[in-house]
């Protein structure tokens, strides 16, 4: 059984509330919120105000993916706005101590801590943080845009995470993000993913309900 986190990046922002409600009614319990600052990645998306609006209007787990170059400040802002999970990028930190400190900050803020790695980063970097994590986010595309092709080598990384959970007797959520659709989702789940992010596969389709339910069955 996988969980589904629809990424609003692919939603119609003119009707965002209805778009999210549709996903909620279809059975998605998480909502994936991609924060981009135009520095860590070239694109810019939204700030804490939007997360606050979603927090006030919906009852989903606010899964905030911070693609930003100043993660500590963003964690504070988005925690205040009602994020439930704050996922930071390994590559955004100058050294490992700064990352340990940030994960501690997230827990002090009363939130779940996630750590993400870009496609070129080795999954082995996750090991040193495994006992501090609630979630590991494996990027199966280069962060920065929706609608890209799933990279199969993300599967070895998910397998590695599954093994870390076994070794450390932990149940860290293994989230996969990028290019997830009806064909790639079963492969990702087989490799160890327990939370599936999907943007362009879910939004903008008439059969979105079937698609959400199909992913939830995996
Ligand atoms: C990319 C984002 C993803 C994106 C996924 O940087 O992190 O969450 O919205 O989009 P799809 O599902 O279309 O690949
Ligand atoms: Zn994302």
């Amino acid at each position: 059984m996988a969980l589904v986190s629809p990424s609003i990046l692919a939603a119609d922002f003119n009707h965002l509330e209805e778009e999210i409600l549709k996903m909620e009614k279809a059975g998605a319990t998480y909502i994936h919120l991609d924060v981009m600052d135009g520095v860590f990645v070239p694109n810019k998306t939204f700030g804490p105000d939007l997360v606050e609006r979603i927090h006030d209007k919906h009852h989903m787990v606010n899964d905030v993916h911070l693609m930003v170059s100043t993660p500590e400040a963003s964690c504070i802002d988005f925690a205040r706005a009602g994020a439930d999970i704050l996922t930071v990028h390994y590559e955004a930190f100058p050294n490992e101590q700064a990352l340990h400190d940030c994960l501690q900050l997230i827990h002090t803020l009363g939130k779940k801590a996630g750590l993400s790695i870009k496609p070129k980063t080795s999954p082995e970097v996750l090991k040193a943080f495994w006992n501090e994590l609630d979630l590991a986010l494996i990027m199966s595309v280069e962060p920065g845009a929706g609608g890209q092709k799933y990279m199969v080598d993300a599967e070895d990384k998910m397998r590695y995470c599954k093994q870390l959970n076994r070794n450390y007797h932990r149940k860290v959520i293994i989230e996969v993000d990028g290019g997830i659709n009806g064909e790639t989702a079963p492969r990702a789940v087989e490799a160890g993913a327990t939370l599936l992010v999907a943007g362009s596969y879910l939004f903008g389709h008439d059969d979105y309900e079937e698609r959400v339910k199909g992913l939830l069955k995996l």
Side-chain angles (χ1 to χ4, degrees), residues 12-214:
D12 174 357
F13 271 65
N14 293 320
H15 304 96
L16 191 55
E17 217 176 297
E18 295 98 294
E19 291 270 89
I20 297 175
L21 204 59
K22 279 188 340 193
M23 295 298 156
E24 202 171 4
K25 285 191 176 148
T29 47
Y30 286 65
I31 192 79
H32 189 80
L33 306 166
D34 286 302
V35 177
M36 304 184 192
D37 66 353
V39 180
F40 184 76
V41 289
N43 287 329
K44 253 190 184 183
T45 55
F46 43 80
D49 291 5
L50 188 85
V51 174
E52 196 168 349
R53 253 174 52 207
I54 294 170
H55 170 75
D56 290 347
K57 296 206 171 111
H58 304 276
H59 300 95
M60 301 168 94
V61 177
N62 288 332
D63 166 25
V64 176
H65 178 189
L66 294 169
M67 286 164 272
V68 299
S69 56
T70 53
E72 296 87 352
S74 295
C75 283
I76 294 169
D77 293 346
F78 285 89
R80 264 196 212 122
D84 296 295
I85 303 170
L86 291 161
T87 297
V88 293
H89 263 271
Y90 176 83
E91 303 82 4
F93 292 86
N95 56 59
E96 297 212 332
Q97 189 55 50
L99 175 49
H100 282 295
D101 292 348
C102 187
L103 295 173
Q104 201 184 338
L105 167 70
I106 296 171
H107 285 132
T108 305
L109 292 164
K111 306 299 178 183
K112 290 204 165 133
L115 180 58
S116 184
I117 52 168
K118 295 211 259 182
K120 288 192 189 86
T121 303
S122 161
E124 277 157 39
V125 304
L126 296 169
K127 193 174 167 184
F129 304 95
W130 205 252
N131 276 324
E132 295 153 70
L133 298 183
D134 299 293
L135 179 150
L137 172 53
I138 302 298
M139 289 306 300
S140 41
V141 298
E142 257 330 305
Q148 303 178 71
K149 195 172 174 284
Y150 176 80
M151 296 172 166
V152 178
D153 53 7
E155 291 169 11
D156 278 341
K157 298 180 185 176
M158 291 182 254
R159 279 187 206 103
Y160 180 80
C161 291
K162 207 170 158 180
Q163 192 56 47
L164 285 181
N165 266 342
R166 286 198 197 107
N167 295 351
Y168 287 81
H169 307 290
R170 302 232 35 231
K171 284 187 178 157
V172 174
I173 296 168
I174 303 172
E175 181 174 34
V176 60
D177 186 3
I180 292 296
N181 58 38
E183 280 83 54
T184 57
R187 299 183 54 127
V189 171
E190 169 69 31
T194 52
L195 179 60
L196 302 166
V197 177
S200 49
Y201 178 63
L202 296 180
F203 288 101
H205 302 279
D206 293 337
D207 61 345
Y208 65 90
E209 194 169 347
E210 255 169 67
R211 291 178 184 227
V212 171
K213 294 208 158 81

